[in-house]
Amino acid sequence: MKILKNLIPVLMLFTCYLSSAQSSNGDVSSLPIDPKTNSYVRYYYYPNLEAYFDNLELVYIYKVNGQWEKAENLPTNYGGYSLFNKVRVNITDYDGDEPYQLIKTHKKMYPYNSKGRFSNTTTSTK
């Protein structure tokens, strides 16, 4: 009985620790999954904007005056562009905090095409 009294508080502390550890991971489990690669999609890349959308932080990442910025909405100079009618690319091979480090690679792999067609199979036309 004495062991049970000591075991219950330890189990409660362990349960609290596990639940706090799971909630502090940025909620990665809520990210969409790419059906072709079966991996989480943290970023979308928009080739004609040369911008990213972060699904984890729910912000756009784009360049302004040579500096990369994050914001919940695109700036007004992107006005008239429909994010839902143009091509976006699922970035499944990077999940860090600075996807723009790979902008040269992404520009090469996914050049802007006004018709919205890519030969690469990891693209999405949503």
Side-chain angles (χ1 to χ4, degrees), residues 62-69 78 100:
Y62 52 89
K63 210 172 203 180
V64 175
N65 297 328
Q67 298 293 322
W68 288 94
E69 295 188 12
Y78 288 95
Y100 46 84

Side-chain angles (χ1 to χ4, degrees), residues 21-122:
Q22 287 178 352
S23 65
S24 67
N25 67 358
D27 203 16
V28 174
S29 63
S30 67
L31 290 175
I33 296 178
D34 184 15
K36 294 178 182 170
T37 61
N38 200 25
S39 61
Y40 290 113
V41 179
R42 178 167 179 188
Y43 296 105
Y44 295 127
Y45 172 62
Y46 294 94
N48 59 332
L49 297 177
E50 294 180 7
Y52 296 91
F53 180 75
D54 185 345
N55 282 311
L56 194 59
E57 296 181 16
L58 301 176
V59 294
Y60 291 95
I61 304 170
Y62 52 89
K63 210 172 203 180
V64 175
N65 297 328
Q67 298 293 322
W68 288 94
E69 295 188 12
K70 292 182 179 183
E72 291 182 8
N73 297 309
L74 288 171
T76 56
N77 61 335
Y78 288 95
Y81 175 76
S82 174
L83 294 172
F84 302 104
N85 293 335
K86 296 293 182 181
V87 172
R88 72 177 181 201
V89 179
N90 296 338
I91 303 298
T92 58
D93 58 350
Y94 182 79
D95 63 352
D97 292 330
E98 298 174 344
Y100 46 84
Q101 292 179 343
L102 302 173
I103 188 72
K104 289 181 182 178
T105 305
H106 292 150
K107 284 170 67 172
K108 246 184 197 176
M109 288 175 65
Y110 314 110
Y112 173 63
N113 183 346
S114 62
K115 297 186 193 262
R117 296 187 184 110
F118 285 101
S119 60
N120 194 314
T121 59
T122 61

